[in-house]
Amino acid sequence: WLASHHIKIVNMSLAGPDDDLLRKQVEGLSKSGIIILAAVGNDGPKAPKAYPAGYEPVIAVTAVNAELVNYRHANRGPHVDLAAPGVRIWTAAPPNRGEYHSGTSFATPYATAVVASIYQSLPAKTKEEALKRLSYVDLGSPGPDPIYGRGLVLAPKSCDGQSNTPPALLSSVALGTQALVRP
């Protein structure tokens, strides 16, 4: 259905066990140029890899708080690709109200929007190409690590996908993250 409706980017704010059918669909969609992002899961630092984030073609997203610290319940591992705001996110709730929620599922839509902003400029439309093209603020150990992946993904200054926020604006990013997660 996704391919037949020309969907280019898929957000999967869910996590669960390995599943052969899901793996085959993810692999097939990725080969067709669809980029998939998924939440790494909220079972804790010692939890096993969750899926679909654990599948190779998927961009695995973890959550950070306003202080740019990893969400304490987030899964970890070498498959984590990047981090995004996902702790105390003001979210619509029924009936006609809002409330704060936390988790990697709340970080994934943010990362999905950032990838969507650069998608048209990606010649090969692959996970690897998208990850190389994005800008990050390195968090945790220098370089990619199993807690933050490549680091906090930065939204571009505009939706043309050409100019990303420079890492020198870390203090502004931190303040902006706080604005996203606090009233």
Side-chain angles (χ1 to χ4, degrees):
W1 185 91
L2 294 169
S4 69
H5 284 81
H6 310 290
I7 304 300
K8 302 299 180 196
I9 301 168
V10 176
N11 174 82
M12 298 183 80
S13 287
L14 54 91
D18 189 7
D19 180 88
D20 288 337
L21 180 59
L22 180 59
R23 178 193 321 249
K24 289 176 186 172
Q25 292 300 315
V26 163
E27 289 171 353
L29 291 171
S30 295
K31 287 178 184 173
S32 73
I34 295 175
I35 296 178
I36 302 169
L37 294 89
V40 297
N42 305 314
D43 292 326
K46 296 182 188 226
K49 188 186 300 187
Y51 299 89
Y55 298 133
E56 182 56 37
V58 176
I59 296 175
V61 182
T62 193
V64 295
N65 64 20
E67 289 76 33
L68 305 180
V69 175
N70 189 248
Y71 178 51
R72 65 187 179 106
H73 297 294
N75 293 17
R76 297 179 179 179
H79 65 292
V80 175
D81 291 307
L82 56 85
V87 179
R88 292 190 43 80
I89 303 297
W90 187 250
T91 307
N96 302 319
R97 61 187 183 88
E99 55 192 36
Y100 288 103
H101 286 280
S102 297
T104 59
S105 290
F106 293 93
T108 307
Y110 180 94
T112 302
V114 174
V115 171
S117 73
I118 66 164
Y119 182 85
Q120 291 303 324
S121 66
L122 301 174
K125 315 294 190 222
T126 65
K127 167 187 172 176
E128 294 76 20
E129 189 177 33
L131 290 174
K132 286 179 188 173
R133 181 77 193 289
L134 296 170
S135 294
Y136 310 91
V137 172
D138 194 12
L139 303 174
S141 302
D145 64 61
I147 299 172
Y148 301 100
R150 287 162 177 78
L152 176 70
V153 67
L154 298 174
K157 291 180 186 177
S158 67
C159 290
D160 65 5
Q162 299 301 313
S163 55
N164 288 337
T165 307
L169 297 178
L170 175 57
S171 60
S172 297
V173 171
L175 292 173
T177 302
Q178 290 176 358
L180 283 174
V181 296
R182 293 191 178 145

